[in-house]
Structure formats: structure tokens, C-alpha cells
Amino acid sequence: MKRKLRSGLSASLLAVAACVALHSPYSLAARDAQTILKETCQGCHTPEADNALSRISHQRKSPEGWLMSIARMQVMHGLQISDDDRRTLVKYLADTQGLAPSETDGVRYALERRLNTVEKFDDQTSQMCGRCHSGARVALQRRPAQEWERLVNFHLGQWPSLEYQALSRDRDWFDLARKEMVPLLAKRYPLDNPAWKKWQAGAPKAETLVGDWSFSGHLPGKGELAGVMSVTADAGDTFKVSVKGQYADGSPFNGDGSAILYTGYEWRGNVTIDGVTMRQVFAAQGSAMQGRMFEAEHDERGLDFAAAKQGSSRLLAVQPGYLKAGAETEVTLIGSGLTGKPDFGKGVTVVEVVEQTPERVKVKLKAAANAQPGLRNVTVGTLKGATLSVYSKIAQVKVVPAFSVARVGDGGGSTPKVQGRFDAEAWGKGTDGKPFRIGVFPAQWSVEAFDDRAREDEDVKFAGTMQADAGVFTPGDAGPNPQRKMSTNNAGNLKVIAAVDDAGKSLTGEGQMIVTVQRWNNPPIP
């Protein structure tokens, strides 16, 4: 195996290049996967029965997981492999040794770069694994017990100091990892799983995704959007993509690009929207797609995305999704196959159907003054799938995300700033006294010192600025700041405050944001 790493190629640059490759169609001129495995990988991974290779054949991972494995071979072992060969290998391994859709449930936030997610794993997993990387990285792979034990050994061999770090120096980390974590992980995330075999046997062909897709979305700081994504077949499991849509305020959301399908459902795309390259990470199953789009250079600038293939019957969203008792407003239903009479439940009257197509139904609604607060199931003919919130008053405002991390950047360096981006969610109380989500409301935004230390260090002055009308926080520059005590950097601990107006009454919600240093190690799965 050729082991010479390109001169000057850093781990961070390789991670960026690898991520671009993952979202790009592979070249038909590249060598086939079996040739690559034999000529490039077999020098270290020894052949086994049934055309298997040691280590490689005893794991299943997401496309990002396989990409990280190959990138690690390049960085740590000097593997030399072309971009085309790497793309071909990731495609083959994700297709033949991937994860079933059900195996990614609950942890897709890591693939979708939802980096402000607060994970919920058991204490053992959080302390033994989640202290260095996300628990999702563990949950997005499958191994037999022997391979999980080898992974433990690899960790200790590659990072010998981990036994002396926090949450390991106070216990026998290695013994716990081998005797407790290995059996737990082997049981929880086994290599052999009926769900994977069932998915392999019945996975749909890529050509079933060709066609027009009606989509809805929401971008924090900007609002709701809707439109049509057109998908045409390209070579292999790749596509050409065209997006035409607009935000609720009328501004456009248009662009073109390409995409590739892994594992029969893992959609990865690169689409340039109004001059900005955005990644698409979707789960595509049948006539539905769902996931996230985010800027290639700023993964915090992303939008939730849900789509239904035109010709199917699916109600995706109601925009806006709330109505005040006694008020009248116009809402739009987004979906596919929207035929029949729209109905919004008890106490809500359809005053006028302004526009109706199979993809959009625009209606004027009025809620009775005595309409009971709570969620209403929305139907169009016999089609269900969305709700409308009816409220008389706002009981509570929540800042979303409640806890977030922003990062300083620029300042002459190569790493950009990572913004904080927030929504103000209004919540009401139903007749049963239980809270229900009304929806995202316009708000006035500000920041304050989170605690006494932040106040003493003047974090509000130095950590960055909040856009008052949009909930977008831009951190300060990276590097030492001579104006701060001890010339420290522009880090900070801030309280994020959203003020929502409800009939002249201002209600506020609060969250916390840590402004910290750059993220130097930024792998596809955090």
C-alpha cells in the first residue's frame, strides 16, 4: 500500500475536502470498488473467507462514518488515495455495509449538523464515550463484540493520555471499557440486525426519486419557505437538482446543483442557492424526504426541510401554523395531492379558499372568539398530517435552542465565525392546563451577562453583537484582545433574551449561549 501523505495536508483541510467529496457525484472513470479494496486496502487488511477483509468487513456505518475511516487512514497511516477512488469506496461501503433507516432514528442530528443538540444517553455512555465526541458517532455504527473491543484498544493506542483525562482518571477506564462498554455496545449496536437485512432486500431504486418534489422549510432568523425541488436522473445513483421557492416575506430561494444517493435512502446534495453553496442531508424514503439544508461554510446557517413527491398524497405543513381566537388570517397548506375541502377543526371557519392546487392551498381563516385553545388536526379531503394552533393568549416564550454555542473567528485567521441563530417559540395552555406549542413568533432580541463572572468580564461588550430583529448573533474576532483583562480572547457567557408582543403585552424568554474559541477539528460526524 502506498503510504506517502501529500505534503502539508492537515487533518482539518482533509476533513473539508472529504466532506465536499461526500456530497459530490463519483466519477465513472474511477476504479471499481473491488479493485480499490484489493490494490489499496489489502496491503493492511488481510483477506478472509467469503471475500471479506479484516476489520473492514466487520463494520457497518453511515456514508460519513466510512468517509471518516478513510480520511483517518490518510492522516494517521499515510494512505494515498485519489478523490475519485475515495468517492467510489464510500459509495460501495455505504451501500453494502450501511445502516438501515431505523438504525439512524434518533441520532440523525449529527449527520444533519445540528450541533446545538443536547444529547440524551445513559450516564455510562456519556461518561465513557460522549466526553470526547458525540454519542451519536457511536450510535451510527455497528460492530460485533470483537470489533468493539478492538475499537477500545485503538483508542488507547492512538490517544494514550485518555486514561488521565477527566472522567477517566478517577476510575479504571480501560477495564470498564472492555468489560462493561464492549458488551453493552455489542448488544445495543450489533453488526447483525434483521432491520439491515430487510432493508437491503427491499431498498428502492434511485430512479424512484426522479420527479418534482413539493417542499416546506423553516430557517431561524428568516422564517418559513416553500417551493418545488425538481430531480432528474444523472449517471448511476446521482441526480441533477433544481430548486425554486420563496420565503414567506417573498424573497427567493432558487438554485441548482447535484446529489447522490447512498444506501438506498441517504440523500447528499450540493445546491447553490442564490450564490451560496448549501449541503443537503436528507433521508429519502418512498414519496417523502426529510432533513436539513445548511451552508457549506456555515453549518449553523441551516433550515429544516420536508418534501413530498408530486403525485403522492401528503400534507407537509401549515404556514403560519397558528391563529388567535377571534382573529382572521391567511394560511397556506403545503404538500402533494391536496384535493378536497380543507378543514381546520372546531371553532375555525374557512372564510374563503383563495387558491387551490395539488401542491398549495391558500385559505382565509377565522377563529371564533370563544374557540378553545389547543391544537387542531388539519385535513384536506381525507388527507391528514399537520396541525393548527389556536390560542387566546401566550402563556410562555421559549428561546430555541435553549442552550447554544457560538464561536469567534476571522480576525486574520482562516476559520470563520460561527453564529448563534435563534427562534422565539410561543407556548399556550390548553383547557386541560397542559402546555402546547403555538409556533415561532417575531421577537426583539438582546443579550445580557449570564452570571456575575460574565458581568465582571464585560462579556456583552466583547463577545459579539445580536441582531435585534432577527435573533442572529455574530461573535467577535478571534485572537487576543488587548482591551480585555489579561488580553484574553472574545469568549463569553451570555443570556439570550427574546421579547414577544402579545396584544401590547411583552413576554420574554431566556436561553444561554457560550461564545468560545474556534472548532479546529471539524469531522463530518462531531
Side-chain angles (χ1 to χ4, degrees):
M1 183 189 297
K2 295 180 179 178
R3 292 249 173 165
K4 185 178 179 182
L5 190 63
R6 291 185 181 93
S7 176
L9 183 63
S10 69
S12 59
L13 289 175
L14 181 59
V16 172
C19 193
V20 171
L22 182 68
H23 291 74
S24 303
Y26 62 94
S27 169
L28 293 178
R31 295 182 296 167
D32 67 274
Q34 290 295 340
T35 299
I36 299 169
L37 288 168
K38 182 178 180 180
E39 297 181 358
T40 304
C41 305
Q42 197 168 302
C44 293
H45 297 274
T46 56
E48 298 177 345
D50 300 322
N51 294 318
L53 289 176
S54 63
R55 305 303 307 276
I56 296 174
S57 298
H58 305 289
Q59 302 177 30
R60 292 191 289 112
K61 301 178 183 179
S62 66
E64 286 82 0
W66 284 116
L67 184 66
M68 289 171 65
S69 293
I70 297 171
R72 189 174 68 250
M73 297 301 107
Q74 293 180 263
V75 171
M76 296 182 177
H77 301 294
L79 168 66
Q80 189 176 62
I81 185 171
S82 71
D83 290 345
D84 281 343
D85 282 356
R86 185 171 57 199
R87 278 192 284 267
T88 299
L89 203 53
V90 169
K91 178 75 170 79
Y92 173 79
L93 291 170
D95 287 350
T96 58
Q97 296 172 225
L99 301 174
S102 61
E103 292 180 302
T104 68
D105 284 349
V107 286
R108 294 196 64 82
Y109 58 83
L111 303 176
E112 296 170 359
R113 309 294 294 174
R114 300 178 187 270
L115 300 187
N116 283 317
T117 301
V118 178
E119 294 190 309
K120 295 180 180 179
F121 284 89
D122 59 279
D123 289 344
Q124 185 84 321
T125 302
S126 298
Q127 293 171 7
M128 295 295 289
C129 307
R131 64 188 176 91
C132 292
H133 53 68
S134 68
R137 187 189 294 191
V138 181
L140 286 166
Q141 52 184 297
R142 299 294 183 272
R143 303 166 183 256
Q146 186 180 40
E147 273 301 318
W148 283 116
E149 185 168 4
R150 285 172 174 163
L151 185 65
V152 170
N153 294 334
F154 158 76
H155 274 68
L156 195 56
Q158 191 67 55
W159 297 287
S161 66
L162 71 80
E163 284 192 289
Y164 308 106
Q165 297 170 6
L167 295 179
S168 59
R169 59 175 174 261
D170 60 336
R171 67 194 74 189
D172 189 346
W173 182 91
F174 188 56
D175 213 37
L176 289 172
R178 287 188 304 116
K179 295 180 180 179
E180 295 187 16
M181 288 306 299
V182 166
L184 184 152
L185 295 174
K187 181 180 180 180
R188 187 184 293 168
Y189 309 121
L191 180 69
D192 295 322
N193 185 354
W196 170 241
K197 294 178 181 177
K198 182 179 179 181
W199 175 254
Q200 275 192 305
K205 301 296 183 182
E207 53 262 29
T208 62
L209 301 179
V210 171
D212 289 339
W213 294 74
S214 179
F215 71 83
S216 70
H218 175 82
L219 177 67
K222 181 68 173 178
E224 294 170 316
L225 72 153
V228 174
M229 183 173 77
S230 298
V231 177
T232 56
D234 206 358
D237 290 348
T238 64
F239 311 93
K240 295 295 184 185
V241 179
S242 177
V243 175
K244 188 172 184 179
Q246 66 178 31
Y247 289 95
D249 65 6
S251 56
F253 186 80
N254 303 323
D256 299 282
S258 61
I260 182 171
L261 189 70
Y262 298 94
T263 329
Y265 73 100
E266 290 286 10
W267 174 285
R268 302 292 184 269
N270 274 324
V271 179
T272 300
I273 302 291
D274 301 320
V276 178
T277 300
M278 299 190 77
R279 310 278 194 231
Q280 294 180 325
V281 179
F282 305 152
Q285 294 187 67
S287 60
M289 279 194 202
Q290 191 158 349
R292 188 167 179 262
M293 289 182 67
F294 51 88
E295 292 186 19
E297 299 299 324
H298 288 274
D299 53 29
E300 78 275 17
R301 301 178 189 173
L303 57 97
D304 294 325
F305 181 98
K309 191 175 182 184
Q310 293 184 7
S312 66
S313 296
R314 189 179 299 271
L315 177 57
L316 292 172
V318 182
Q319 297 180 348
Y322 52 83
L323 175 61
K324 190 168 186 176
E328 188 174 302
T329 193
E330 206 171 77
V331 303
T332 303
L333 308 182
I334 307 296
S336 180
L338 304 181
T339 59
K341 183 180 178 180
D343 184 88
F344 294 83
K346 187 176 180 180
V348 180
T349 303
V350 177
V351 178
E352 179 187 0
V353 177
V354 179
E355 171 193 347
Q356 183 157 5
T357 71
E359 289 74 46
R360 290 169 58 89
V361 181
K362 185 179 290 188
V363 296
K364 188 177 290 185
L365 299 180
K366 184 173 183 178
N370 62 350
Q372 296 296 312
L375 299 178
R376 306 290 197 277
N377 290 319
V378 178
T379 60
V380 182
T382 59
L383 194 59
K384 302 177 182 179
T387 59
L388 177 78
S389 299
V390 177
Y391 73 102
S392 56
K393 63 179 182 179
I394 298 173
Q396 183 184 9
V397 172
K398 295 183 180 181
V399 170
V400 178
F403 177 83
S404 67
V405 174
R407 296 179 183 273
V408 299
D410 298 332
S414 60
T415 304
K417 299 176 181 181
V418 175
Q419 295 177 330
R421 300 179 78 88
F422 302 92
D423 275 330
E425 276 188 356
W427 286 67
K429 283 189 177 180
T431 54
D432 57 0
K434 294 182 179 179
F436 69 95
R437 181 182 181 274
I438 300 172
V440 174
F441 274 56
Q444 285 296 304
W445 295 89
S446 60
V447 293
E448 294 181 359
F450 186 79
D451 55 21
D452 290 340
R453 170 52 66 86
R455 193 171 296 107
E456 180 184 337
D457 291 344
E458 298 183 283
D459 287 355
V460 172
K461 178 179 178 180
F462 294 109
T465 56
M466 174 67 82
Q467 188 175 336
D469 61 347
V472 176
F473 180 87
T474 302
D477 289 343
N481 185 345
Q483 297 181 43
R484 299 202 76 173
K485 184 169 58 178
M486 299 178 67
S487 294
T488 188
N489 59 36
N490 288 314
N493 185 7
L494 301 177
K495 186 183 296 181
V496 178
I497 302 170
V500 172
D501 179 79
D502 183 22
K505 180 181 179 181
S506 181
L507 294 95
T508 60
E510 297 181 355
Q512 182 182 8
M513 175 175 55
I514 301 294
V515 182
T516 187
V517 297
Q518 302 95 313
R519 185 171 57 225
W520 298 112
N521 187 7
N522 195 25
I525 304 177

